Amino acid sequence: MSSAYVVSISPPAPLDAVPESASEKSHWVYGETGEIQRFVNPWESARDFSFLEIFKAMMHHKFLSGNSNKPDTSPPTVDVVKPKFQLSRILNSQSMRAIWLGHACYYVEFPTGLRILFDPVFEERCSPFSRFGHKRFTPKPCDISDLPIIDCVVISHSHYDHLSHPSILEIQKYHPAAQFFVPKGLKKWFTDSGIPNAVELDWWEDVDITLTATNPSKETEGRITARISCLPCQHTSARTPFDKSTTLWASWAVSSGGKSVYFVGDSGYRSVPSSTKNIEDDWILPEFADLPVCPAFKQIGDLRGPFDLGLIPIGAYRPRHVLSSVHSNPFDSVAIFKDTRCKRAMAIHWGTWAVAEEDVLEPPQLLKRALLKNGLPEKGVFDICDIGEGREF
């Protein structure tokens, strides 16, 4: 159905409000010959671990700290239901519909008819190997071939739980007209994979995309427009131990027909120092109460918000002293929700692979406590749902 539309995309450029510091490109690190060598998080809230430092810290935590935990992934965990997709672009609603497909993957149906897929990973393992690495403890709710329309695929960064080579090739097979939007430096990976239609953006760059129907009808839009925006977050990238931070990571905003989605993808909010206290809410500890927080989210909220829906990560945060710089716990997640001025939010980055040490059902439990702590209702504002479930916004 996507093939019945001709797609045009404007060149990447700042098309909306940006911070005054955006032109400084403080997240770029140049090599000796003037090329961009790698990327960094340019904030006091971030801590940059090398691969070796991460390995040493995890080994010390696992074998010497006495605080290590192996999550129990045996059923029951998270319910999985069969997704219900809108099979055509027929306009019968003024609301936007979002369907969680596990971990960070969301499929969003805009009332204009636009269909966006975020961070699709449909494999059994989020790993470069088919027999090793983190294995799903909840089944995928559907196959890529079940998705009726994919206009755009948005990728947050290169980690295996967010970017899957087999999944990308499957999308290309079933939806050859789909456009891919990726952070700076990642287009080459797509080109090398035989996928030419990837658009590469830097932080605070936007593109306008137009889908023009070749044979419009009364029931469908003859012309669909959207703005796709690449925005900052606090994370990193790598697909091997040797290419860390050589491609950019990003959060994204998509707006079409008066509805907007803000997709965090994967991000930390602050960096919690090493501590022997395995506490649920480390914000209450006096020594951690005033740690620097990532300023990018407040900038995003002030300059680009409000958003109708935020897709915000809540999992993969223990051990905190190793992961807090790149992964948010639910108390951080609620702070991101407030900073970015999302009207409502759905939780992502949990319930699929046990990529960290918290119990698999701890993130939604802590999310409720974080909401109450911030004076927000437990339901109806920042929610969880079953894998495969859709919600309207």
Side-chain angles (χ1 to χ4, degrees):
M1 296 177 189
S2 297
S3 61
Y5 284 74
V6 176
V7 180
S8 61
I9 303 171
S10 69
L15 300 177
D16 213 330
V18 301
E20 293 182 0
S21 60
S23 61
E24 297 173 4
K25 303 297 183 183
S26 57
H27 58 298
W28 293 10
V29 177
Y30 295 95
E32 293 181 357
T33 58
E35 79 285 1
I36 300 173
Q37 188 177 56
R38 62 187 180 91
F39 301 92
V40 295
N41 295 294
W43 311 293
E44 292 182 1
S45 56
R47 180 180 176 186
D48 186 20
F49 285 95
S50 68
F51 179 82
L52 183 59
E53 286 173 329
I54 293 174
F55 180 78
K56 287 181 176 179
M58 290 301 293
M59 291 302 99
H60 181 276
H61 172 78
K62 186 175 182 66
F63 296 109
L64 298 177
S65 71
N67 292 325
S68 183
N69 177 56
K70 184 177 181 180
D72 180 7
T73 60
S74 57
T77 53
V78 183
D79 289 337
V80 179
V81 299
K82 185 177 180 180
K84 297 179 180 178
F85 301 112
Q86 179 70 46
L87 298 180
S88 72
R89 299 185 194 273
I90 293 175
L91 307 178
N92 57 7
S93 174
Q94 295 302 308
S95 63
M96 175 175 62
R97 193 160 175 269
I99 303 169
W100 187 33
L101 300 181
H103 199 58
C105 183
Y106 248 93
Y107 182 76
V108 180
E109 302 169 337
F110 283 84
T112 57
L114 184 72
R115 303 293 185 255
I116 303 281
L117 183 63
F118 293 96
D119 280 4
V121 179
F122 285 76
E123 276 58 62
E124 187 72 7
R125 298 183 187 271
C126 57
S127 166
F129 310 105
S130 60
R131 296 186 179 182
F132 305 99
H134 299 292
K135 186 177 181 180
R136 286 180 180 267
F137 62 84
T138 48
K140 60 183 177 181
C142 64
D143 293 317
I144 288 171
S145 58
D146 296 323
L147 294 162
I149 303 168
I150 302 176
D151 295 310
C152 303
V153 180
V154 174
I155 302 295
S156 64
H157 65 293
S158 68
H159 285 157
Y160 281 88
D161 56 330
H162 296 259
L163 176 60
S164 160
H165 188 258
S167 289
I168 296 301
L169 294 182
E170 280 282 290
I171 292 169
Q172 180 76 352
K173 174 183 176 181
Y174 289 102
H175 302 274
Q179 298 291 318
F180 295 84
F181 295 89
V182 305
K184 191 172 183 65
L186 199 50
K187 180 176 180 177
K188 183 180 184 300
W189 184 92
F190 281 80
T191 302
D192 291 346
S193 299
I195 298 171
N197 46 335
V199 178
E200 185 177 275
L201 284 83
D202 194 9
W203 289 351
W204 300 108
E205 286 186 336
D206 316 273
V207 293
D208 285 335
I209 180 169
T210 302
L211 282 69
T212 304
T214 57
N215 187 23
S217 66
K218 294 181 180 179
E219 291 81 18
T220 60
E221 280 282 7
R223 188 168 179 266
I224 298 170
T225 60
R227 176 161 292 180
I228 298 178
S229 305
C230 181
L231 300 168
C233 66
Q234 182 174 296
H235 200 57
T236 186
S237 66
R239 290 185 75 79
T240 74
F242 311 106
D243 65 346
K244 184 176 181 293
S245 302
T246 56
T247 63
L248 189 59
W249 47 95
S251 63
W252 295 83
V254 180
S255 60
S256 182
K259 291 292 184 178
S260 58
V261 173
Y262 176 59
F263 176 69
V264 178
D266 201 354
S267 181
Y269 189 65
R270 57 193 196 134
S271 296
V272 178
S274 181
S275 173
T276 58
K277 299 176 181 177
N278 194 14
I279 190 169
E280 290 182 349
D281 178 11
D282 45 46
W283 284 81
I284 67 173
L285 298 177
E287 65 268 34
F288 296 163
D290 296 318
L291 293 174
V293 302
C294 181
F297 295 108
K298 183 69 164 53
Q299 290 178 325
I300 290 167
D302 290 344
L303 296 172
R304 299 299 184 93
F307 302 97
D308 294 297
L309 171 63
L311 302 174
I312 301 177
I314 66 168
Y317 49 80
R318 294 192 191 277
R320 282 284 277 166
H321 68 282
V322 179
L323 295 175
S324 59
S325 183
V326 292
H327 289 166
S328 299
N329 76 0
F331 295 92
D332 302 330
S333 306
V334 172
I336 291 172
F337 168 75
K338 293 168 65 177
D339 281 357
T340 52
R341 299 172 61 207
C342 294
K343 297 175 184 177
R344 292 176 63 187
M346 298 300 296
I348 63 172
H349 209 259
W350 76 284
T352 307
W353 293 285
V355 297
E357 289 194 353
E358 74 270 8
D359 292 333
V360 297
L361 294 179
E362 181 182 283
Q365 295 167 356
L366 293 193
L367 177 61
K368 290 183 179 180
R369 296 173 195 173
L371 290 167
L372 290 175
K373 177 184 177 181
N374 284 272
L376 298 169
E378 286 188 26
K379 295 183 179 181
V381 175
F382 190 160
D383 287 332
I384 62 168
C385 67
D386 296 338
I387 295 174
E389 182 180 351
R391 298 279 182 94
E392 292 196 355
F393 301 89

Coordinates of all heavy atoms in Angstrom, one line a residue, residues 32-103:
E32 N 42.6 14.1 13.4 CA 43.8 14.9 13.0 C 43.6 15.6 11.7 O 44.1 16.7 11.4 CB 45.1 14.1 13.0 CG 45.5 13.6 14.4 CD 46.8 12.8 14.4 OE1 47.3 12.6 13.3 OE2 47.2 12.4 15.5
T33 N 42.9 15.0 10.8 CA 42.7 15.5 9.4 C 41.4 16.3 9.3 O 41.0 16.7 8.2 CB 42.7 14.4 8.4 OG1 41.7 13.5 8.7 CG2 44.1 13.7 8.4
G34 N 40.7 16.6 10.4 CA 39.5 17.4 10.4 C 38.2 16.7 10.2 O 37.2 17.3 10.2
E35 N 38.2 15.4 10.0 CA 37.0 14.6 9.9 C 36.4 14.3 11.3 O 37.1 14.4 12.3 CB 37.2 13.3 9.2 CG 37.8 12.2 10.0 CD 39.3 12.3 10.3 OE1 39.9 13.3 9.9 OE2 39.9 11.4 11.0
I36 N 35.1 14.0 11.3 CA 34.5 13.7 12.6 C 35.0 12.3 12.9 O 34.7 11.3 12.2 CB 32.9 13.7 12.5 CG1 32.5 15.1 12.1 CG2 32.3 13.3 13.8 CD1 31.0 15.2 11.9
Q37 N 35.6 12.1 14.1 CA 36.2 10.8 14.5 C 35.2 10.0 15.3 O 35.1 8.8 15.2 CB 37.5 11.1 15.2 CG 38.2 9.8 15.6 CD 39.6 10.2 16.3 OE1 39.6 10.8 17.3 NE2 40.7 9.7 15.7
R38 N 34.5 10.7 16.2 CA 33.5 10.1 17.1 C 32.6 11.1 17.7 O 32.7 12.3 17.4 CB 34.2 9.3 18.2 CG 35.1 10.1 19.1 CD 35.9 9.3 20.1 NE 36.7 10.1 21.0 CZ 36.3 10.5 22.2 NH1 35.1 10.2 22.6 NH2 37.1 11.2 23.0
F39 N 31.7 10.7 18.5 CA 30.7 11.6 19.2 C 30.8 11.4 20.7 O 31.2 10.4 21.2 CB 29.3 11.3 18.7 CG 29.2 11.4 17.2 CD1 29.4 10.3 16.3 CD2 28.8 12.6 16.6 CE1 29.3 10.4 15.0 CE2 28.7 12.8 15.2 CZ 28.9 11.7 14.4
V40 N 30.3 12.5 21.4 CA 30.3 12.4 22.9 C 29.1 13.0 23.4 O 28.3 13.8 22.7 CB 31.5 13.2 23.5 CG1 32.9 12.5 23.1 CG2 31.5 14.7 23.0
N41 N 28.8 12.8 24.7 CA 27.7 13.5 25.4 C 28.3 14.7 26.0 O 29.1 14.5 26.9 CB 27.1 12.6 26.4 CG 26.4 11.3 25.9 OD1 25.4 11.5 25.2 ND2 26.9 10.2 26.1
P42 N 28.0 15.9 25.6 CA 28.7 17.1 26.0 C 28.2 17.7 27.3 O 28.1 19.0 27.4 CB 28.5 18.0 24.8 CG 27.1 17.7 24.3 CD 27.0 16.2 24.6
W43 N 27.8 16.9 28.3 CA 27.1 17.4 29.5 C 27.8 16.9 30.7 O 28.3 15.7 30.7 CB 25.7 17.1 29.5 CG 25.0 17.4 28.2 CD1 24.7 18.7 27.7 CD2 24.4 16.5 27.3 NE1 24.0 18.6 26.5 CE2 23.8 17.3 26.2 CE3 24.3 15.1 27.2 CZ2 23.2 16.7 25.1 CZ3 23.7 14.5 26.1 CH2 23.1 15.3 25.1
E44 N 27.7 17.6 31.8 CA 28.3 17.1 33.1 C 27.5 15.9 33.6 O 28.0 15.2 34.5 CB 28.2 18.3 34.1 CG 29.1 19.4 33.9 CD 29.0 20.5 35.0 OE1 28.3 20.3 35.9 OE2 29.7 21.5 34.9
S45 N 26.3 15.7 33.1 CA 25.5 14.6 33.6 C 25.9 13.3 33.1 O 25.5 12.2 33.5 CB 24.0 14.8 33.1 OG 24.0 15.0 31.7
A46 N 26.9 13.3 32.1 CA 27.3 12.0 31.4 C 28.6 11.6 31.9 O 29.5 12.4 32.4 CB 27.3 12.3 29.9
R47 N 28.9 10.3 31.8 CA 30.2 9.7 32.1 C 30.5 8.7 31.0 O 29.7 7.9 30.6 CB 30.2 9.0 33.4 CG 31.6 8.3 33.8 CD 31.6 7.6 35.1 NE 32.9 6.9 35.3 CZ 33.1 6.1 36.3 NH1 32.2 5.9 37.2 NH2 34.3 5.6 36.4
D48 N 31.7 8.9 30.4 CA 32.1 8.1 29.2 C 32.9 6.9 29.7 O 34.1 7.1 30.0 CB 32.8 9.0 28.2 CG 33.1 8.3 26.9 OD1 32.4 7.2 26.7 OD2 34.0 8.7 26.2
F49 N 32.4 5.7 29.7 CA 33.1 4.5 30.0 C 33.7 4.0 28.7 O 33.0 3.9 27.7 CB 32.2 3.4 30.6 CG 31.8 3.7 32.0 CD1 30.6 4.3 32.3 CD2 32.6 3.3 33.1 CE1 30.2 4.5 33.6 CE2 32.2 3.4 34.4 CZ 31.0 4.1 34.7
S50 N 34.9 3.5 28.7 CA 35.5 2.7 27.6 C 34.9 1.3 27.7 O 34.4 0.9 28.8 CB 37.0 2.7 27.7 OG 37.4 1.9 28.8
F51 N 35.0 0.5 26.7 CA 34.6 -0.9 26.7 C 35.3 -1.6 27.8 O 34.6 -2.4 28.6 CB 34.8 -1.5 25.4 CG 34.4 -3.0 25.3 CD1 33.1 -3.3 25.1 CD2 35.3 -4.0 25.5 CE1 32.6 -4.6 25.0 CE2 34.9 -5.3 25.5 CZ 33.6 -5.6 25.2
L52 N 36.6 -1.4 28.0 CA 37.3 -2.1 29.0 C 36.9 -1.7 30.4 O 36.7 -2.5 31.3 CB 38.8 -1.8 28.8 CG 39.8 -2.6 29.8 CD1 39.6 -4.1 29.7 CD2 41.2 -2.1 29.5
E53 N 36.6 -0.4 30.6 CA 36.1 0.1 31.9 C 34.8 -0.5 32.3 O 34.5 -0.9 33.4 CB 36.0 1.6 31.9 CG 37.4 2.3 32.0 CD 37.2 3.8 31.8 OE1 36.3 4.2 31.0 OE2 38.1 4.5 32.3
I54 N 33.9 -0.6 31.3 CA 32.6 -1.2 31.5 C 32.7 -2.7 31.9 O 32.1 -3.2 32.9 CB 31.7 -1.1 30.3 CG1 31.3 0.4 30.0 CG2 30.4 -1.9 30.4 CD1 30.6 0.6 28.8
F55 N 33.6 -3.4 31.2 CA 33.8 -4.8 31.4 C 34.4 -5.0 32.8 O 33.9 -5.9 33.6 CB 34.8 -5.4 30.4 CG 35.1 -6.9 30.6 CD1 34.2 -7.8 30.2 CD2 36.3 -7.2 31.2 CE1 34.5 -9.2 30.4 CE2 36.6 -8.6 31.4 CZ 35.7 -9.6 31.0
K56 N 35.4 -4.2 33.2 CA 36.0 -4.4 34.6 C 34.9 -4.0 35.7 O 34.8 -4.7 36.7 CB 37.2 -3.4 34.7 CG 38.4 -3.9 34.0 CD 39.5 -2.9 34.2 CE 40.8 -3.4 33.5 NZ 41.9 -2.4 33.7
A57 N 34.1 -3.0 35.5 CA 33.1 -2.6 36.5 C 32.1 -3.7 36.6 O 31.7 -4.0 37.7 CB 32.5 -1.3 36.1
M58 N 31.6 -4.3 35.5 CA 30.6 -5.3 35.6 C 31.2 -6.6 36.2 O 30.5 -7.3 37.0 CB 30.1 -5.6 34.2 CG 29.3 -4.5 33.6 SD 27.8 -4.1 34.6 CE 26.8 -5.6 34.4
M59 N 32.4 -6.9 35.9 CA 33.0 -8.1 36.6 C 33.2 -7.9 38.1 O 32.9 -8.8 38.8 CB 34.4 -8.4 35.9 CG 34.3 -8.9 34.5 SD 33.3 -10.5 34.3 CE 31.7 -9.8 33.7
H60 N 33.6 -6.7 38.5 CA 33.8 -6.5 39.9 C 32.4 -6.5 40.6 O 32.3 -7.1 41.7 CB 34.4 -5.1 40.1 CG 34.6 -4.7 41.5 ND1 33.6 -4.1 42.3 CD2 35.7 -4.9 42.4 CE1 34.0 -3.9 43.5 NE2 35.3 -4.4 43.6
H61 N 31.4 -5.9 39.9 CA 30.1 -5.9 40.5 C 29.5 -7.4 40.6 O 29.0 -7.8 41.7 CB 29.1 -5.1 39.7 CG 27.7 -5.2 40.1 ND1 27.2 -4.5 41.2 CD2 26.7 -5.9 39.5 CE1 25.9 -4.8 41.3 NE2 25.6 -5.7 40.3
K62 N 29.7 -8.2 39.6 CA 29.2 -9.5 39.5 C 29.8 -10.4 40.5 O 29.1 -11.2 41.2 CB 29.3 -10.1 38.1 CG 28.6 -11.4 37.9 CD 28.7 -11.8 36.4 CE 28.0 -13.1 36.2 NZ 26.5 -13.0 36.4
F63 N 31.1 -10.3 40.7 CA 31.8 -11.4 41.5 C 32.3 -10.9 42.8 O 32.6 -11.7 43.7 CB 33.0 -11.9 40.6 CG 32.6 -12.6 39.4 CD1 32.8 -12.1 38.1 CD2 31.9 -13.8 39.4 CE1 32.4 -12.7 37.0 CE2 31.6 -14.5 38.3 CZ 31.8 -13.9 37.1
L64 N 32.4 -9.6 43.0 CA 33.0 -9.1 44.3 C 32.1 -8.2 45.1 O 32.4 -8.1 46.3 CB 34.3 -8.3 43.9 CG 35.4 -9.1 43.2 CD1 36.6 -8.2 42.9 CD2 35.9 -10.3 44.2
S65 N 31.1 -7.6 44.5 CA 30.3 -6.6 45.3 C 29.3 -7.2 46.2 O 29.0 -6.6 47.2 CB 29.5 -5.7 44.3 OG 28.5 -6.4 43.7
G66 N 28.8 -8.4 45.9 CA 27.8 -9.0 46.7 C 26.4 -8.5 46.4 O 25.4 -8.9 47.1
N67 N 26.3 -7.6 45.5 CA 25.0 -7.0 45.1 C 24.4 -7.4 43.8 O 23.4 -6.9 43.3 CB 25.1 -5.4 45.1 CG 25.4 -4.9 46.5 OD1 24.8 -5.4 47.5 ND2 26.2 -3.8 46.5
S68 N 25.1 -8.4 43.1 CA 24.7 -8.8 41.8 C 23.4 -9.6 41.9 O 23.1 -10.3 42.8 CB 25.8 -9.7 41.2 OG 25.4 -10.1 39.9
N69 N 22.6 -9.4 40.8 CA 21.3 -10.1 40.8 C 21.1 -10.7 39.4 O 21.3 -10.0 38.4 CB 20.1 -9.1 41.1 CG 18.8 -9.7 41.0 OD1 18.5 -10.7 41.6 ND2 17.9 -9.1 40.1
K70 N 20.6 -11.9 39.3 CA 20.2 -12.5 38.0 C 18.7 -12.6 37.9 O 18.0 -13.3 38.7 CB 20.8 -13.9 37.9 CG 20.5 -14.6 36.6 CD 21.1 -16.0 36.4 CE 20.9 -16.6 35.0 NZ 21.5 -17.9 34.9
P71 N 18.1 -11.8 37.0 CA 16.7 -11.7 36.9 C 16.0 -13.0 36.6 O 16.6 -13.8 35.8 CB 16.4 -10.7 35.8 CG 17.7 -9.9 35.7 CD 18.8 -10.9 36.1
D72 N 14.9 -13.3 37.2 CA 14.2 -14.5 36.9 C 13.3 -14.2 35.7 O 12.3 -13.5 35.8 CB 13.4 -15.0 38.1 CG 12.5 -16.2 37.9 OD1 12.7 -16.8 36.8 OD2 11.7 -16.5 38.8
T73 N 13.5 -14.9 34.6 CA 12.7 -14.6 33.4 C 11.7 -15.7 33.1 O 11.1 -15.7 32.1 CB 13.7 -14.5 32.2 OG1 14.4 -15.7 32.0 CG2 14.6 -13.3 32.3
S74 N 11.5 -16.6 34.1 CA 10.5 -17.6 33.8 C 9.1 -17.1 33.9 O 8.8 -16.1 34.6 CB 10.6 -18.7 34.9 OG 10.5 -18.2 36.2
P75 N 8.2 -17.6 33.1 CA 6.8 -17.1 33.0 C 6.1 -17.3 34.4 O 6.5 -18.2 35.1 CB 6.1 -18.0 32.0 CG 7.3 -18.5 31.2 CD 8.4 -18.7 32.1
P76 N 5.1 -16.5 34.7 CA 4.6 -15.4 33.9 C 5.3 -14.1 34.0 O 5.8 -13.8 35.2 CB 3.1 -15.2 34.4 CG 3.2 -15.6 35.8 CD 4.3 -16.7 35.9
T77 N 5.5 -13.3 33.0 CA 6.2 -12.0 33.1 C 5.2 -10.9 32.5 O 4.4 -10.4 33.2 CB 7.5 -12.0 32.3 OG1 7.3 -12.5 31.0 CG2 8.5 -12.9 33.1
V78 N 5.4 -10.6 31.2 CA 4.6 -9.6 30.6 C 3.7 -10.3 29.6 O 4.1 -11.1 28.8 CB 5.5 -8.6 29.8 CG1 4.7 -7.5 29.2 CG2 6.6 -8.0 30.8
D79 N 2.4 -9.9 29.6 CA 1.4 -10.5 28.7 C 1.7 -10.0 27.3 O 2.1 -8.9 27.0 CB 0.0 -10.1 29.1 CG -0.5 -10.8 30.4 OD1 0.1 -11.8 30.7 OD2 -1.4 -10.3 31.0
V80 N 1.5 -10.9 26.3 CA 1.7 -10.6 24.9 C 0.3 -10.9 24.2 O -0.2 -12.0 24.4 CB 2.8 -11.5 24.3 CG1 3.0 -11.2 22.8 CG2 4.1 -11.2 25.0
V81 N -0.1 -9.9 23.5 CA -1.4 -10.1 22.7 C -1.1 -9.8 21.2 O -0.1 -9.2 20.9 CB -2.5 -9.1 23.2 CG1 -2.8 -9.3 24.7 CG2 -2.0 -7.6 23.0
K82 N -2.0 -10.3 20.4 CA -1.9 -10.1 19.0 C -2.3 -8.7 18.6 O -3.3 -8.2 18.9 CB -2.8 -11.1 18.2 CG -2.6 -11.0 16.7 CD -3.5 -12.1 16.0 CE -3.3 -12.0 14.5 NZ -4.2 -13.0 13.8
P83 N -1.4 -8.0 17.9 CA -1.7 -6.6 17.6 C -2.8 -6.5 16.6 O -3.0 -7.3 15.7 CB -0.4 -6.1 16.9 CG 0.7 -7.1 17.3 CD 0.0 -8.4 17.5
K84 N -3.6 -5.4 16.7 CA -4.6 -5.1 15.8 C -4.2 -3.8 15.0 O -4.2 -2.7 15.5 CB -6.0 -4.9 16.5 CG -6.5 -6.1 17.2 CD -7.8 -5.8 17.9 CE -8.3 -7.0 18.7 NZ -9.5 -6.8 19.4
F85 N -3.8 -4.0 13.7 CA -3.4 -2.9 12.9 C -4.5 -2.4 12.0 O -5.4 -3.1 11.6 CB -2.2 -3.4 12.0 CG -1.0 -3.9 12.7 CD1 -0.7 -5.3 12.6 CD2 -0.2 -3.1 13.5 CE1 0.4 -5.8 13.3 CE2 0.9 -3.6 14.1 CZ 1.2 -4.9 14.1
Q86 N -4.5 -1.1 11.7 CA -5.3 -0.5 10.7 C -4.8 -1.0 9.4 O -3.7 -0.7 9.0 CB -5.3 1.0 10.8 CG -6.2 1.7 9.8 CD -7.7 1.5 10.0 OE1 -8.1 1.7 11.2 NE2 -8.4 1.2 9.0
L87 N -5.6 -1.7 8.6 CA -5.1 -2.4 7.4 C -4.9 -1.5 6.2 O -4.3 -1.8 5.2 CB -6.0 -3.6 7.1 CG -6.0 -4.7 8.1 CD1 -6.9 -5.8 7.7 CD2 -4.6 -5.2 8.5
S88 N -5.5 -0.3 6.3 CA -5.4 0.7 5.2 C -5.2 2.1 5.8 O -5.2 2.2 7.0 CB -6.6 0.6 4.3 OG -7.7 1.2 5.0
R89 N -5.1 3.0 4.9 CA -5.0 4.4 5.3 C -6.3 5.1 5.5 O -6.4 6.3 5.6 CB -4.1 5.2 4.3 CG -2.7 4.7 4.2 CD -2.0 5.7 3.2 NE -0.7 5.1 2.7 CZ 0.4 5.1 3.4 NH1 0.5 5.7 4.6 NH2 1.5 4.6 2.9
I90 N -7.4 4.4 5.5 CA -8.7 4.9 5.6 C -8.8 5.8 6.9 O -8.5 5.4 8.0 CB -9.8 3.9 5.6 CG1 -9.9 3.2 4.3 CG2 -11.2 4.4 6.0 CD1 -10.8 2.0 4.2
L91 N -9.3 7.0 6.7 CA -9.3 8.0 7.8 C -10.7 7.8 8.6 O -11.7 8.3 8.1 CB -9.1 9.4 7.3 CG -7.9 9.6 6.4 CD1 -7.9 11.0 5.9 CD2 -6.7 9.2 7.2
N92 N -10.6 7.2 9.7 CA -11.9 7.1 10.5 C -11.7 7.5 11.9 O -12.5 7.2 12.8 CB -12.4 5.6 10.4 CG -11.3 4.6 11.0 OD1 -10.3 5.0 11.5 ND2 -11.6 3.3 10.8
S93 N -10.6 8.2 12.2 CA -10.4 8.7 13.6 C -9.5 10.0 13.5 O -8.7 10.2 12.6 CB -9.6 7.6 14.3 OG -9.2 8.1 15.6
Q94 N -9.7 10.8 14.5 CA -8.9 12.0 14.7 C -7.8 11.7 15.7 O -7.0 12.6 15.9 CB -9.8 13.2 15.2 CG -10.8 13.6 14.2 CD -10.2 14.0 12.8 OE1 -9.3 14.8 12.8 NE2 -10.7 13.5 11.7
S95 N -7.7 10.5 16.2 CA -6.7 10.2 17.2 C -5.5 9.5 16.6 O -5.6 8.9 15.5 CB -7.3 9.4 18.3 OG -7.7 8.2 17.9
M96 N -4.4 9.5 17.3 CA -3.2 8.7 16.9 C -3.2 7.4 17.6 O -3.6 7.4 18.8 CB -2.0 9.6 17.2 CG -0.7 9.0 17.0 SD 0.6 10.2 17.3 CE 0.4 10.5 19.0
R97 N -2.8 6.4 17.0 CA -2.7 5.1 17.7 C -1.3 4.5 17.7 O -0.6 4.6 16.7 CB -3.7 4.1 16.9 CG -3.9 2.8 17.7 CD -5.2 2.1 17.1 NE -5.4 0.8 17.7 CZ -5.0 -0.3 17.3 NH1 -4.2 -0.3 16.2 NH2 -5.2 -1.5 17.9
A98 N -0.9 4.0 18.9 CA 0.5 3.5 19.1 C 0.4 2.1 19.6 O -0.3 1.8 20.6 CB 1.2 4.5 20.0
I99 N 1.2 1.2 19.0 CA 1.2 -0.2 19.4 C 2.6 -0.6 19.8 O 3.5 -0.5 19.0 CB 0.7 -1.1 18.2 CG1 -0.7 -0.6 17.7 CG2 0.7 -2.5 18.5 CD1 -1.1 -1.2 16.4
W100 N 2.7 -1.1 21.0 CA 4.0 -1.6 21.5 C 4.3 -3.0 21.0 O 3.5 -3.9 21.2 CB 4.0 -1.6 23.0 CG 5.3 -1.9 23.7 CD1 6.6 -1.6 23.2 CD2 5.6 -2.6 24.9 NE1 7.6 -2.0 24.0 CE2 7.0 -2.6 25.1 CE3 4.8 -3.2 25.8 CZ2 7.6 -3.3 26.2 CZ3 5.3 -3.8 26.9 CH2 6.7 -3.8 27.1
L101 N 5.4 -3.1 20.3 CA 5.8 -4.4 19.7 C 7.0 -5.1 20.5 O 7.6 -6.0 20.0 CB 6.2 -4.3 18.3 CG 5.0 -3.7 17.4 CD1 5.5 -3.6 15.9 CD2 3.8 -4.6 17.5
G102 N 7.2 -4.6 21.7 CA 8.3 -5.1 22.6 C 9.5 -4.3 22.6 O 9.9 -3.6 21.7
H103 N 10.2 -4.2 23.8 CA 11.4 -3.4 24.1 C 11.2 -2.0 23.7 O 10.3 -1.3 24.2 CB 12.6 -4.1 23.4 CG 13.9 -3.6 24.0 ND1 14.2 -3.8 25.3 CD2 15.0 -3.0 23.5 CE1 15.4 -3.3 25.6 NE2 15.9 -2.9 24.5

